[in-house]
């Protein structure tokens, strides 16, 4: 990401904070007409394009769109605060699952949107039998790798993964990169052992109830070995942010990173001279990538009827007009999740996600069912301790189990 983009996000956040501190914006007033809506969402990769979309939407409809961005990992807490204080937004994003379940009192029924019945099966967020979330896109993650440096066909289990790390290290290259942001540090990679359970949702329910432990489960024992191998053979992710993780990969300093198709937009500023691929993280011999809906759009049900309708009108425009679909497919680079929308210009990583999905070689995102906020508040401190100590695999899993229990006690 360019420095100016980071600066613009920071300035935007500061302006929003100042505005919130000095005035109370009552977005719930019962206005009969609405000439502005507010959008708040967590996907930083599309913030510039979303601001451009806002200008296009105003040009075509006369309705102003104010875009709020976020620069940190506390998006959900910011959203909760804004909604509880009656400060908007009109349209916002959430992770379907535990997050959307906890926020259901602020989610309008979107089942009357004209395209609601054309959303791909299982992709819409349904809470209490109501369609409340419209999926952004389909995303997949695993091991994004440099084909000049890594032969993914040879990385199929723990031993071959470690060999890859060690071979790269011997050649002065970082074998596998994580970064310090919460989901890039532990959230995504920890999803895999959950997804490999016979019944991921049932396992999470038992874990919440204290009936099972990660420490006693083979897939998590294997995960801990992978995590330790990364710590012992790669750079410290706590000293690397997302920009640097992607930059080091783009410039050949890192052979592979644990990321998804969303990261391709980060390579626009680089002259990439190699082909890249997407491979499964082979925990317990896993040969699938994780694919699901990363976020969905919601409309604030506590806003006035007129503002709710304005939010729905925005989503109608986004998914049914030529301009809206152009932004979804070409500017955002999203994979289509609504019948009738196509993207013939997918970037290489997104195309691989689509290929894996078409072949049925996918695992789910049970992380969407984890207790809300657990990654940022409870799991990240364990990961940070792990990467700054000689914590053993057994100690790591015990700490994760303790953190999980604490999250359930305090929720």
């Amino acid at each position: 990401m360019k420095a100016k983009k980071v600066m613009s996000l920071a300035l935007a956040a500061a302006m929003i904070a100042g505005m919130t501190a000095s005035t109370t914006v009552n977005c719930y007033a019962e206005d009969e007409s609405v000439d502005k809506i507010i959008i708040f969402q967590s996907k930083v990769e599309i913030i510039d394009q979303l601001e451009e979309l806002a200008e296009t939407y105003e040009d075509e409809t006369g309705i102003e769109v104010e875009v709020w961005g976020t620069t940190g990992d506390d998006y959900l807490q910011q959203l909760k605060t804004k909604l509880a204080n009656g400060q908007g937004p009109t349209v916002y994003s959430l992770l379907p699952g535990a997050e959307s379940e906890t926020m259901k009192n602020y989610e309008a029924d979107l089942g009357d949107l004209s395209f609601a019945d054309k959303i791909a099966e299982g992709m819409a967020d349904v809470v209490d039998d109501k369609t409340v979330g419209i999926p952004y896109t389909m995303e997949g993650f695993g091991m994004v790798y440099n084909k000049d440096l890594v032969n993914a066909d040879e990385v199929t289990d723990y031993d071959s993964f470690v060999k890859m790390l060690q071979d790269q290290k011997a050649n002065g290259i970082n074998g596998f990169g994580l970064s310090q942001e919460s989901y890039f540090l532990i959230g995504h990679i920890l999803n895999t052992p959950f997804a490999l359970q016979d019944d991921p949702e049932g396992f999470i329910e038992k874990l919440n109830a204290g009936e099972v432990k990660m420490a006693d489960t083979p897939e998590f024992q294997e995960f801990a070995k992978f995590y330790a191998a990364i710590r012992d053979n790669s750079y410290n992710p706590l000293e690397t942010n997302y920009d640097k993780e992607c930059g080091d990969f783009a410039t050949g300093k890192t052979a592979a990173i644990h990321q998804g198709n969303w990261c391709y937009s980060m390579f626009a500023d680089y002259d990439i001279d190699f082909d890249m691929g997407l491979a499964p993280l082979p925990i317990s011999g896993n040969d699938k990538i994780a694919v699901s809906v990363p976020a969905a759009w919601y409309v604030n049900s506590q806003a006035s009827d007129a503002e709710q309708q304005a939010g729905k009108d925005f989503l109608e425009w986004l998914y049914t007009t030529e301009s809206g679909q152009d932004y979804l497919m070409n500017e955002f680079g999203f994979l289509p999740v609504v019948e009738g929308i196509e993207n013939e210009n997918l970037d290489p990583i997104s195309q691989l996600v689509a290929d894996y999905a078409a072949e049925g070689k996918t695992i789910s995102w049970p992380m969407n069912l984890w207790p809300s906020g657990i990654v940022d508040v409870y799991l990240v401190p364990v990961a940070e301790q792990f990467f700054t100590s000689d914590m053993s695999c057994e100690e790591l899993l015990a700490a994760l189990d303790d953190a999980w229990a604490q999250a359930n006690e305090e929720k």
Side-chain angles (χ1 to χ4, degrees):
M1 184 181 294
K2 295 180 181 178
K4 66 180 181 181
K5 183 182 292 187
V6 176
M7 182 62 71
S8 67
L9 287 173
L11 288 173
M15 290 172 64
I16 292 167
M19 178 187 71
T20 303
S22 60
T23 62
T24 299
V25 182
N26 184 3
C27 296
Y28 302 162
E30 291 294 333
D31 296 333
E32 293 184 359
S33 63
V34 172
D35 57 12
K36 184 179 83 170
I37 62 172
I38 297 171
I39 296 177
F40 187 41
Q41 62 93 42
S42 59
K43 200 165 182 56
V44 297
E45 295 91 341
I46 65 169
I47 189 68
D48 288 351
Q49 297 91 328
L50 192 58
E51 288 173 348
E52 293 171 5
L53 177 151
E55 296 179 4
T56 301
Y57 188 70
E58 184 173 5
D59 290 342
E60 294 192 7
T61 68
I63 304 298
E64 180 185 354
V65 176
E66 182 176 339
V67 178
W68 290 353
T70 179
T71 58
D73 287 331
D74 61 342
Y75 167 79
L76 181 60
Q77 186 55 50
Q78 291 182 49
L79 176 64
K80 288 179 177 179
T81 300
K82 293 177 187 299
L83 290 172
N85 291 340
Q87 296 172 337
T90 317
V91 177
Y92 59 91
S93 68
L94 283 174
L95 189 67
E99 280 191 3
S100 64
E101 179 67 29
T102 63
M103 300 296 290
K104 63 183 181 181
N105 290 336
Y106 295 95
E107 297 165 0
D109 187 348
L110 304 180
D112 58 349
L113 293 175
S114 67
F115 60 91
D117 61 349
K118 297 179 181 177
I119 298 172
E121 184 177 357
M123 293 290 181
D125 188 21
V126 178
V127 176
D128 293 342
D129 297 324
K130 296 185 297 183
T131 297
V132 297
I134 306 301
Y136 273 44
T137 181
M138 176 173 61
E139 287 184 345
F141 62 81
M143 184 172 71
V144 178
Y145 66 95
N146 181 331
K147 289 188 175 182
D148 288 349
L149 299 174
V150 176
N151 182 350
D153 292 338
E154 296 178 352
V155 185
T156 58
D157 55 18
Y158 171 74
D159 289 339
S160 55
F161 181 76
V162 172
K163 183 179 185 302
M164 184 269 286
L165 296 180
Q166 294 176 341
D167 288 348
Q168 297 298 331
K169 188 174 183 180
N171 291 326
I173 297 172
N174 182 61
F176 192 81
L178 301 174
S179 64
Q180 62 193 214
E181 293 83 4
S182 59
Y183 273 86
F184 298 159
L185 178 65
I186 190 168
H188 288 161
I189 197 168
L190 186 60
N191 178 80
T192 299
F194 279 93
L196 295 178
Q197 302 304 308
D198 291 337
D199 177 10
E201 183 174 358
F203 181 85
I204 291 172
E205 291 174 353
K206 291 180 180 179
L207 188 61
N208 290 340
E211 298 172 2
V212 296
K213 290 184 179 296
M214 287 180 264
D216 299 331
T217 307
E219 291 80 7
F220 289 90
Q221 294 167 355
E222 179 93 342
F223 156 78
K225 291 171 58 180
F226 272 76
Y227 216 45
I230 295 167
R231 178 189 62 184
D232 297 342
N233 295 282
S234 303
Y235 61 56
N236 190 335
L238 302 182
E239 300 171 358
T240 302
N241 62 18
Y242 177 49
D243 288 11
K244 189 176 189 313
E245 177 194 17
C246 292
D248 283 353
F249 176 73
T251 54
K253 296 176 182 177
T254 295
I257 56 178
H258 194 263
Q259 282 292 345
N261 56 301
W262 56 79
C263 76
Y264 194 80
S265 63
M266 300 296 288
F267 305 141
D269 296 332
Y270 297 91
D271 184 15
I272 305 291
D273 61 357
F274 60 85
D275 291 333
M276 60 185 72
L278 178 64
L281 185 68
I283 292 176
S284 299
N286 170 52
D287 62 354
K288 301 176 175 66
I289 65 167
V291 175
S292 189
V293 172
W297 302 105
Y298 299 81
V299 171
N300 180 5
S301 64
Q302 301 303 309
S304 68
D305 290 344
E307 189 173 353
Q308 289 184 54
Q309 186 58 53
K312 292 181 179 181
D313 290 344
F314 170 78
L315 293 176
E316 283 281 0
W317 177 90
L318 186 60
Y319 283 84
T320 65
T321 69
E322 182 177 347
S323 296
Q325 291 178 6
D326 179 63
Y327 273 98
L328 286 173
M329 297 297 103
N330 300 319
E331 300 299 326
F332 297 170
F334 284 176
L335 278 72
V337 290
V338 173
E339 180 184 340
I341 302 179
E342 298 181 357
N343 189 341
E344 299 177 355
N345 300 301
L346 291 177
D347 65 73
I349 304 302
S350 294
Q351 185 60 60
L352 288 170
V353 171
D355 292 344
Y356 272 103
E359 296 169 8
K361 298 182 65 174
T362 65
I363 53 176
S364 62
W365 288 14
M367 62 184 183
N368 290 2
L369 303 174
W370 295 349
S372 180
I374 191 172
V375 177
D376 296 336
V377 179
Y378 299 96
L379 302 185
V380 165
V382 175
E384 291 175 340
Q385 182 182 0
F386 182 77
F387 282 105
T388 54
S389 71
D390 59 355
M391 181 186 290
S392 69
C393 293
E394 292 77 15
E395 290 169 335
L396 168 65
L397 293 177
L400 289 174
D401 279 324
D402 289 344
W404 199 282
Q406 184 181 2
N408 277 283
E409 289 173 1
E410 298 179 4
K411 70 178 181 180

